[in-house]
PDB file of all heavy atoms in Angstrom:
ATOM      1  N   ALA A  35      55.542  -1.049-108.742  1.00  0.00           N
ATOM      2  CA  ALA A  35      54.962   0.251-108.385  1.00  0.00           C
ATOM      3  C   ALA A  35      54.446   0.389-106.954  1.00  0.00           C
ATOM      4  O   ALA A  35      54.664   1.408-106.300  1.00  0.00           O
ATOM      5  CB  ALA A  35      53.833   0.579-109.352  1.00  0.00           C
ATOM      6  N   HIS A 100      62.298   6.445-116.479  1.00  0.00           N
ATOM      7  CA  HIS A 100      61.043   6.922-117.066  1.00  0.00           C
ATOM      8  C   HIS A 100      60.234   7.608-115.966  1.00  0.00           C
ATOM      9  O   HIS A 100      60.653   7.630-114.799  1.00  0.00           O
ATOM     10  CB  HIS A 100      60.267   5.778-117.716  1.00  0.00           C
ATOM     11  CG  HIS A 100      59.826   4.685-116.785  1.00  0.00           C
ATOM     12  ND1 HIS A 100      60.679   3.970-115.983  1.00  0.00           N
ATOM     13  CD2 HIS A 100      58.583   4.184-116.536  1.00  0.00           C
ATOM     14  CE1 HIS A 100      60.003   3.082-115.292  1.00  0.00           C
ATOM     15  NE2 HIS A 100      58.724   3.186-115.608  1.00  0.00           N
ATOM     16  N   ASP A 104      56.827   5.107-109.474  1.00  0.00           N
ATOM     17  CA  ASP A 104      57.730   4.272-108.663  1.00  0.00           C
ATOM     18  C   ASP A 104      59.199   4.462-109.054  1.00  0.00           C
ATOM     19  O   ASP A 104      60.087   3.855-108.440  1.00  0.00           O
ATOM     20  CB  ASP A 104      57.346   2.786-108.727  1.00  0.00           C
ATOM     21  CG  ASP A 104      57.259   2.223-110.138  1.00  0.00           C
ATOM     22  OD1 ASP A 104      56.809   2.940-111.054  1.00  0.00           O
ATOM     23  OD2 ASP A 104      57.645   1.048-110.331  1.00  0.00           O
ATOM     24  N   HIS A 105      59.460   5.339-110.041  1.00  0.00           N
ATOM     25  CA  HIS A 105      60.839   5.598-110.465  1.00  0.00           C
ATOM     26  C   HIS A 105      61.186   7.083-110.434  1.00  0.00           C
ATOM     27  O   HIS A 105      62.346   7.454-110.570  1.00  0.00           O
ATOM     28  CB  HIS A 105      61.064   5.058-111.888  1.00  0.00           C
ATOM     29  CG  HIS A 105      60.842   3.593-111.978  1.00  0.00           C
ATOM     30  ND1 HIS A 105      61.865   2.669-111.915  1.00  0.00           N
ATOM     31  CD2 HIS A 105      59.696   2.873-112.075  1.00  0.00           C
ATOM     32  CE1 HIS A 105      61.356   1.445-111.980  1.00  0.00           C
ATOM     33  NE2 HIS A 105      60.043   1.535-112.075  1.00  0.00           N
ATOM     34  N   ASP A 203      62.135  -0.398-116.214  1.00  0.00           N
ATOM     35  CA  ASP A 203      61.084  -1.368-116.550  1.00  0.00           C
ATOM     36  C   ASP A 203      61.161  -1.649-118.057  1.00  0.00           C
ATOM     37  O   ASP A 203      61.194  -0.715-118.826  1.00  0.00           O
ATOM     38  CB  ASP A 203      59.706  -0.796-116.240  1.00  0.00           C
ATOM     39  CG  ASP A 203      59.529  -0.405-114.789  1.00  0.00           C
ATOM     40  OD1 ASP A 203      60.493  -0.507-114.028  1.00  0.00           O
ATOM     41  OD2 ASP A 203      58.436   0.014-114.408  1.00  0.00           O
ATOM     42  N   HIS A 238      56.500  -5.395-119.313  1.00  0.00           N
ATOM     43  CA  HIS A 238      57.341  -5.948-118.246  1.00  0.00           C
ATOM     44  C   HIS A 238      57.736  -7.363-118.652  1.00  0.00           C
ATOM     45  O   HIS A 238      57.339  -7.851-119.711  1.00  0.00           O
ATOM     46  CB  HIS A 238      56.577  -5.986-116.915  1.00  0.00           C
ATOM     47  CG  HIS A 238      56.413  -4.645-116.275  1.00  0.00           C
ATOM     48  ND1 HIS A 238      57.457  -3.932-115.739  1.00  0.00           N
ATOM     49  CD2 HIS A 238      55.302  -3.883-116.076  1.00  0.00           C
ATOM     50  CE1 HIS A 238      57.008  -2.794-115.243  1.00  0.00           C
ATOM     51  NE2 HIS A 238      55.710  -2.735-115.434  1.00  0.00           N
ATOM     52  N   HIS A 267      62.685  -5.882-109.607  1.00  0.00           N
ATOM     53  CA  HIS A 267      61.416  -5.177-109.871  1.00  0.00           C
ATOM     54  C   HIS A 267      60.241  -6.168-109.790  1.00  0.00           C
ATOM     55  O   HIS A 267      59.532  -6.409-110.765  1.00  0.00           O
ATOM     56  CB  HIS A 267      61.469  -4.485-111.254  1.00  0.00           C
ATOM     57  CG  HIS A 267      60.375  -3.461-111.469  1.00  0.00           C
ATOM     58  ND1 HIS A 267      59.130  -3.809-111.924  1.00  0.00           N
ATOM     59  CD2 HIS A 267      60.354  -2.119-111.312  1.00  0.00           C
ATOM     60  CE1 HIS A 267      58.392  -2.708-112.041  1.00  0.00           C
ATOM     61  NE2 HIS A 267      59.107  -1.669-111.670  1.00  0.00           N
TER      62      HIS A 267
HETATM   63 ZN1   ZN B  20      58.394   0.262-112.201  1.00  0.00          ZN
END
Side-chain angles (χ1 to χ4, degrees):
H100 62 304
D104 55 323
H105 300 263
D203 301 4
H238 286 291
H267 195 275

